[in-house]
Amino acid sequence: MQYMCLIYSAEGSGPQPGTDEFGPFMKAYGDYTAQMRESGALVHADALQPVATATTVTVRNGQTITTDGPFAETKEQLGGYYLLECENLDDAIAKAARIPTATYGRIEIRPIIVWDD
Amino acid sequence: MLPPLQSETLIERTLREEWGRILSALTKSLGDLQLAEDCLQDAITRAVEVWPEKGLPDAPAAWLISTARRRAIDRFRRDARWAARVPELSYLADLEAQAEGPDPEAIPDKRLEMIFTCCHPALEQKTQVALTLRTLGGLTTEDIATAFLDKPQTMAQRLTRAKRKIAAAGIPYEIPDRDKLPERLTTVLAVIYLIFNAGYSTPSPLAGEAIRLGRIMHQLMPDQAEVAGLLALMLLHDARRLARSGPAGEFIPLDSQNRNRWDRAKITEGDALLQATLPRGQVGPYQLQAAISALHAKSPSWDATDWPQIAALYGLLYQMQPSVVVRVNQAMAVSYAQSVAAGLAMLDGLSDDPQLASYQPYHAARADLCTRASDLPAARTSYRTAIRLTTEDSNRRFLEEKLKNIS
């Protein structure tokens, strides 16, 4: 089964660029991604640009409305994701728990729907 | 052929006892809890039609499981949704072919896998409880709703959502790996104890159901000391059920219970479990609580109670679970083992705890200790607070009586 691991955290929390912790933190991400790739679990992964770059689009009565900023004004925002191939939810939980942001943010796990043809 | 009434009772008992084992085995082979439950329901409907006519089959569980499997094959064939399951279909058909007159012992016992699935941490706790009662205990949705004071429809939706989440989120039907087992076992035991406590103060089938689940767990995991500890604890508590209330439903505390009304068989069984388990040395909270309960159960009278040992056991328990609940109980034991003043000092040590204002047993304990220390004004204040916080009628009447006696 494929699971989407959505990485949420408050911007500005966790190791920041320029601090001593940032290097090891980024290395941990690199190692994790490499491990997922080598084990065959990695389907896709990306980090997102900060929330300041977000634009929200709605269409109402045929009119496109664009708003500056994210869809939900919450403290914790989506910062990136891993799409992983896992055996079951327990396996997905174990893999998500190893994403470096899990120690200060949150990882939401959602299974991918497989559409019947 | 049996007379109708007798046969109905027999059928009902068979279905009830075999439900969890059959549903777990079916779920494991079909890979879908909802489908397994639907097919088992169909098989039961068939049994209720056929058994009174032809008599109970030699192996009712095997009969039910092959009937349910046949239903599953029919569904697979008819329903396009299951078209992708051709491998399962042929596997089931194979099973079916060799299943003429199957041996009931050959049904693999998958209840342990099932209970870990029902108590998976990805499900809400109330859902864990409800699902465990439904799938392992075979209680109806209506029974479960009644026990939790929910509408049957609300409970049905909760169960349906849970079954859908198990399937869609990929919650596995398996016993967790060794490294995850202790943590997950803690959840399972907590769920069973929650079921027991939900059924403890009110007359309901839940306490008996929890004991039954405890027995299943112990039979399936005989080496887990805390599993034995929980079963012992529930048996020892339940042994006092009849003595806990009077003819008008009034609450009778331990010190004035008629010990002849205690269930000796349950006490013996609980104590034997504990004696067999404690020497293994993996002592946990359930075993400690059971050991405390056993000391009460084996004491010939309230006055002869071994308070120093009970106080010491609460001390150990407090090291593992530093909670107000444990401390209040420990203070009561210390008030008998050492002195009322020592007990009160322990309660005073809790005074910064924010939960305390609304924790009824703390105020009831303080009221009792102040009465025994002849500080009646303080006792009255605590009784009034305790009475205000009591939600159960029989308990409130008991405390009001105590207050009247010192006014």
Side-chain angles (χ1 to χ4, degrees), chain B residues 307-320:
Chain B
W307 292 111
Q309 206 180 333
I310 289 178
L313 289 169
Y314 273 121
L316 281 176
L317 187 59
Y318 189 75
Q319 283 174 18
M320 285 180 204

Side-chain angles (χ1 to χ4, degrees), chain B residues 75-91:
Chain B
R75 281 177 190 241
F76 279 139
R77 286 205 180 108
R78 264 204 329 262
D79 195 333
R81 262 189 314 154
W82 307 113
R85 302 226 178 161
V86 176
E88 279 107 320
L89 182 60
S90 55
Y91 164 71

Side-chain angles (χ1 to χ4, degrees), chain A residues 26-44:
Chain A
M26 291 313 285
K27 186 180 179 301
Y29 258 108
D31 291 349
Y32 178 77
T33 308
Q35 281 165 17
M36 289 300 115
R37 184 176 290 120
E38 278 157 31
S39 69
L42 186 73
V43 182
H44 214 90

